[in-house]
Amino acid sequence: MSAQYPVSRPRRLRRNPALRRMVAGTRLHAADLILPMFAKEGITEPQPVASMPGVVQHTRDSLRKAAHEAAEAGVGGIILFGIPAVKDARGSAADDPDGVLQVALRDVVAEVGDSIVVMADTCLDEFTDNGHCGILTPSGDVDNDLTLERYASIAVAQAEAGSQMVAPSGMMDGQVGAIRAALDAAGHGNLPILAYSAKYASAFYGPFRDAAECAPQFGDRSTHQQDPAGPLEEALREVRLDLAEGADAVMVKPALAYLDVIAAFRAEVDVPVAAYQVSGEYAMIEAAAANGWVDRERMIMESLVAIKRAGADLILTYWATEVARRL
């Protein structure tokens, strides 16, 4: 039992910045951060994303420069998303060795080497002409098992382009196992998988779909992404399945609205837990700051600390380079 007031005074340890820093229970490090970046085929200048101030669709040159800056700042990783010039129902560009994402992977790995972990999003929504995450049936549903074949091929193409980790985000049943088997068979048994284990059908993704040009042309993704009102046990079931299939690290997406899920994952698993501070979280803070309603830097740091305190080992954030420099 601890002493009671007036003997016990918790404020004693909050009296000055040095004391607060010494006893801080949550610490951010630059290496905890992963920077999402968008590579767009066929552009000659970086294209600003209107709904995400400060974020751009990169050219090959600007992508290399941004990757170098992230590595120099001490950021732990980069995750790349590709936007092809031509899309079709199969997402053919996704596993094309000369497709935009594979070119981006080779460029970035050549620029930064092993100084930062270079990974790729392994999905189809940026590559299909319908904006969905997989192959569609004649009735317009996503065919889970046909989609797994595409994911397996994409993961191998990414590995052969130099990706140091793959991150399947489509929320198809069995995706981790299919990708693990394909990577192993292709001689990439040492390549780790970061599984999007709890990815919710969230309203917080809106600005991302501008950046990645992947809004569904009809319907939504509620048949495969998790219901925001779904039970916590459903998320835990998903993460257990991914681990059984060979996931090396797991992710919760979005982050701030799902801190309880992050905490539950941290208590459940013995692998790294990542959380994605998504585009809507980023855009809200940037918009409020632009209007003078909030202290931008304090809110960025507070939001990241909250995600870290909930149990995330890794945080995907569009502020990764900026925050890494500040740390």
Side-chain angles (χ1 to χ4, degrees):
M1 293 290 291
S2 60
Q4 302 298 309
Y5 173 85
V7 175
S8 178
R9 293 178 180 267
R11 287 182 57 190
R12 290 176 186 137
L13 294 177
R14 301 196 290 263
R15 287 181 55 246
N16 59 53
L19 273 169
R20 293 193 295 273
R21 184 173 64 250
M22 184 182 74
V23 301
T26 304
R27 301 183 192 276
L28 279 173
H29 300 279
D32 301 336
L33 306 177
I34 298 170
L35 176 66
M37 293 200 294
F38 304 95
K40 183 170 182 178
E41 190 172 30
I43 59 174
T44 57
E45 296 291 335
Q47 302 295 307
V49 179
S51 56
M52 298 178 70
V55 174
V56 302
Q57 296 172 324
H58 283 286
T59 66
R60 291 180 68 179
D61 286 342
S62 69
L63 184 72
R64 285 191 292 260
K65 182 175 184 291
H68 177 81
E69 291 172 350
E72 194 171 52
V75 171
I78 294 166
I79 185 166
L80 298 178
F81 298 84
I83 307 158
V86 178
K87 304 186 179 191
D88 61 26
R90 294 186 69 256
S92 300
D95 56 350
D96 181 348
D98 296 316
V100 60
L101 188 49
Q102 277 64 258
V103 170
L105 284 164
R106 290 194 292 269
D107 283 348
V108 171
V109 170
E111 181 69 34
V112 300
D114 293 328
S115 62
I116 189 170
V117 178
V118 180
M119 62 188 79
D121 175 69
T122 308
C123 197
L124 278 169
D125 53 337
E126 299 106 285
F127 298 93
T128 55
D129 54 9
N130 51 56
H132 281 284
C133 299
I135 303 300
L136 300 184
T137 66
S139 63
D141 294 324
V142 176
D143 187 312
N144 191 96
D145 294 0
L146 285 179
T147 299
L148 295 185
E149 296 176 14
R150 296 291 295 128
Y151 287 1
S153 179
I154 294 165
V156 171
Q158 292 171 345
E160 293 179 350
S163 186
Q164 296 157 0
M165 180 179 280
V166 294
S169 60
M171 289 297 289
M172 295 297 119
D173 293 341
Q175 63 183 14
V176 173
I179 289 170
R180 183 72 274 157
L183 289 173
D184 292 353
H188 300 290
N190 289 327
L191 194 76
I193 298 173
L194 169 59
Y196 285 65
S197 296
K199 182 179 180 182
Y200 287 86
S202 172
F204 285 89
Y205 301 149
F208 174 93
R209 291 171 181 168
D210 293 338
E213 300 181 11
C214 63
Q217 297 302 302
F218 58 88
D220 58 30
R221 295 173 181 152
S222 297
T223 65
H224 42 288
Q225 294 177 356
Q226 287 182 241
D227 182 354
L232 180 59
E233 182 55 39
E234 181 184 18
L236 293 175
R237 181 186 183 201
E238 291 277 10
V239 78
R240 292 178 194 126
L241 288 168
D242 284 347
L243 290 172
E245 291 173 21
D248 301 283
V250 297
M251 190 194 301
V252 177
K253 180 181 182 182
L256 279 178
Y258 298 89
L259 296 179
D260 59 326
V261 182
I262 298 171
F265 272 31
R266 181 65 285 156
E268 176 77 13
V269 308
D270 58 2
V271 299
V273 174
Y276 199 143
Q277 186 179 50
V278 299
S279 59
E281 298 171 61
Y282 175 93
M284 288 192 299
I285 292 176
E286 290 288 355
N291 280 282
W293 296 337
V294 299
D295 182 321
R296 178 181 177 277
E297 290 190 6
R298 285 187 63 195
M299 185 166 276
I300 290 169
M301 296 305 294
E302 186 174 341
S303 67
L304 292 169
V305 165
I307 297 165
K308 184 75 171 176
R309 188 176 61 246
D313 302 292
L314 306 170
I315 304 173
L316 287 74
T317 176
Y318 299 97
W319 289 300
T321 302
E322 175 186 341
V323 170
R325 287 172 176 155
R326 198 179 306 157
L327 293 173

